Amino acid sequence: MGLLLCCLGIAALLGRVLACPGPCSCSTKKNGRLLAECAYKELPEVPRGLSPNVTILTLSANRIGWLRRGAFAEVPEVQSLWLGYNQIGGAEPGTFALLAQLKNLDLSHNKMVAFPWQDLRNLSGLQILKLNNNRLAGLPRDAFQALTELRSLWLNDNQLTTLAEGTFEHLPSLSQLQLFNNPFNCSCKLFWLKRWAESTSVSLTKGGSTLCVAPGRLRGRAVTDIPAQQCVAPSAQLTYLSKLANTVLPDGLTLSLHCSVAGSPPPQIRWKIQTPGRGVEIDGPNVARDGSLSPSGRVKQSQERFLVFKNGTMAIPKFSKEDEGIYTCIAVNDVGTREVSVNVALAGSENPAEDLLQDDPHASALGGRSCYKGDEMDPVGAGEKLVIVYHVPREVKGTGGGAMPQVGLGTMLLALGIALGW
């Protein structure tokens, strides 16, 4: 009787270890790994009843249309998961997150438009990831940053038009990358990929087929052959305009800074102002061509103090002590960003610039031309220099000796526009 009970116990144990759903066939490999073979079974979903000891799960060539969270909860030790040639349109967040032992994941030849990229953060041991022949139109910049063991990445035959710079950083083990047959738009946003491909030892399989679809002038050209002259990072120079072509301005000093930029494509100009009492960011011009401010709905109250013109000039009428601070011009295009800063202070002495220059050799008088040149960045001082402005009288005498009349804001803006060549 004891022998019989022992045999029954062993049989029950083996039954639990080798649990296998009806449509599948399960076996133990020579290396001790448990294989669950469920391919070509017309399965509409991941079958239930799999053994928790399964390390290789093959579900290729079925009719699975969606992967739900918990679909693989029964196989937490799986190392190879083959899901190619199904009809999978996407997967819920958390579908793969608990598969910490996963080394090979194949989702190729499906209809995926959504993938739970955050799940990859838990799969640091993943070595092969196949997402090719799907319908992926984009992926986050940090999608793969946790995959330090990843050797082979397949993204070919998707709907990718661009890739964020740095997408393939933090992949020290990567040796093979497939990107061909994607409709890449070879704007300068993708120029980083050319530089990366030239510097990396990673094999871009069928690199000649990684072609541009747009723009038209580059259609059919390899992504790695984007002309360098098409994409030039911004440079910037910040200057102070000490005179406005003898234009008479109302009631006090108007501080005027001009940001000259260059690059390809032409950079957009943004401004950042930091004074002791506030911080302001302005993304573009707020003065229309007719000299009026943009509609109040588009300009925040904190920005109305600063008049920004399309040509890169910013003017601050009635500049006062409250406006002292750091003024930064930011030039941005698809290739990169360049910042130029100047520290502006208002002096009260009769000849403040002369006094300051005796005490501080790094300071410059406001009448000087160039405050900082973008291609001569000082990494220590961040390009900032102290500029002292002169406080002018509130009334400007006319040629006949009388005081000039006060001018309205619209008239002043038009005068600024003409004087600054705007």
Side-chain angles (χ1 to χ4, degrees):
M1 178 63 70
L3 181 61
L4 176 60
L5 290 175
C6 182
C7 291
L8 289 174
I10 293 173
L13 178 62
L14 289 174
R16 287 196 299 269
V17 172
L18 300 177
C20 194
C24 307
S25 61
C26 301
S27 60
T28 303
K29 308 294 286 184
K30 291 182 179 180
N31 56 10
R33 294 179 180 178
L34 183 61
L35 167 65
E37 177 61 69
C38 308
Y40 297 94
K41 302 298 182 182
E42 297 292 316
L43 297 174
E45 60 184 12
V46 178
R48 297 296 180 183
L50 290 164
S51 168
N53 303 88
V54 168
T55 55
I56 304 173
L57 177 56
T58 301
L59 287 163
S60 304
N62 282 291
R63 294 188 296 106
I64 301 172
W66 187 260
L67 296 174
R68 301 189 181 281
R69 181 183 177 93
F72 305 107
E74 294 182 335
V75 288
E77 298 182 10
V78 68
Q79 297 179 15
S80 297
L81 181 55
W82 311 111
L83 289 158
Y85 293 93
N86 276 276
Q87 301 173 25
I88 302 171
E92 291 182 355
T95 299
F96 307 104
L98 298 180
L99 305 181
Q101 306 300 318
L102 200 60
K103 295 183 178 179
N104 306 303
L105 177 58
D106 181 9
L107 284 159
S108 63
H109 296 274
N110 278 286
K111 300 177 180 180
M112 296 197 72
V113 296
F115 182 84
W117 301 106
Q118 63 270 32
D119 285 14
L120 297 180
R121 298 171 188 170
N122 295 338
L123 308 184
S124 58
L126 197 63
Q127 297 179 5
I128 298 175
L129 176 59
K130 292 187 176 183
L131 292 168
N132 54 293
N133 294 88
N134 277 284
R135 300 175 182 177
L136 298 173
L139 56 149
R141 179 186 182 276
D142 60 351
F144 311 117
Q145 68 175 8
L147 306 182
T148 56
E149 300 297 321
L150 190 67
R151 294 186 286 106
S152 182
L153 176 59
W154 299 43
L155 293 168
N156 55 285
D157 292 275
N158 275 285
Q159 298 299 315
L160 300 173
T161 57
T162 191
L163 294 167
E165 184 171 359
T167 297
F168 307 120
E169 292 180 359
H170 312 295
L171 297 175
S173 302
L174 189 66
S175 60
Q176 182 187 41
L177 174 64
Q178 299 203 7
L179 290 172
F180 57 91
N181 291 345
N182 277 288
F184 284 118
N185 180 354
C186 294
S187 70
C188 291
K189 291 182 179 179
L190 200 63
F191 187 69
W192 71 270
L193 185 60
K194 168 188 169 73
R195 298 196 304 263
W196 181 82
E198 292 172 345
S199 63
T200 186
S201 60
V202 176
S203 173
L204 289 172
T205 306
K206 296 185 179 179
S209 298
T210 308
L211 305 178
C212 305
V213 171
R217 68 181 184 279
L218 297 178
R219 183 178 180 87
R221 194 163 182 171
V223 171
T224 53
D225 195 29
I226 300 175
Q229 65 270 22
Q230 299 288 331
C231 305
V232 180
S235 63
Q237 181 176 350
L238 190 57
T239 55
Y240 170 74
L241 304 179
S242 58
K243 293 183 180 180
L244 296 177
N246 297 321
T247 301
V248 177
L249 300 178
D251 196 21
L253 172 74
T254 293
L255 172 67
S256 300
L257 300 173
H258 181 71
C259 186
S260 301
V261 298
S264 181
Q268 299 293 316
I269 297 177
R270 304 171 185 167
W271 289 91
K272 182 169 61 176
I273 303 104
Q274 185 62 56
T275 66
R278 61 180 168 179
V280 178
E281 294 188 12
I282 305 174
D283 289 337
N286 59 15
V287 179
R289 295 194 66 84
D290 63 357
S292 62
L293 285 173
S294 299
S296 57
R298 295 178 55 191
V299 179
K300 298 179 181 179
Q301 186 175 2
S302 61
Q303 299 177 357
E304 292 179 350
R305 179 83 181 94
F306 309 98
L307 310 178
V308 177
F309 297 83
K310 189 176 181 180
N311 74 336
T313 296
M314 179 173 62
I316 306 100
K318 302 180 183 179
F319 189 86
S320 67
K321 294 290 288 184
E322 294 180 355
D323 300 313
E324 292 182 334
I326 299 175
Y327 288 72
T328 302
C329 167
I330 307 171
V332 182
N333 69 6
D334 291 344
V335 187
T337 301
R338 176 58 64 91
E339 294 189 4
V340 185
S341 297
V342 62
N343 194 333
V344 182
L346 182 64
S349 65
E350 184 176 351
N351 195 358
E354 184 176 295
D355 294 342
L356 178 72
L357 288 172
Q358 293 176 358
D359 299 330
D360 185 355
H362 298 292
S364 62
L366 199 56
R369 292 184 178 179
S370 177
C371 300
Y372 167 70
K373 214 168 194 176
D375 56 0
E376 298 173 359
M377 178 175 286
D378 176 5
V380 178
E384 297 179 8
K385 294 184 179 180
L386 184 63
V387 175
I388 299 298
V389 300
Y390 295 90
H391 189 50
V392 300
R394 296 178 63 86
E395 289 187 347
V396 181
K397 299 293 184 179
T399 54
M404 295 294 292
Q406 295 296 302
V407 185
L409 178 60
T411 305
M412 185 192 71
L413 294 179
L414 283 173
L416 277 170
I418 295 171
L420 300 176
W422 163 64

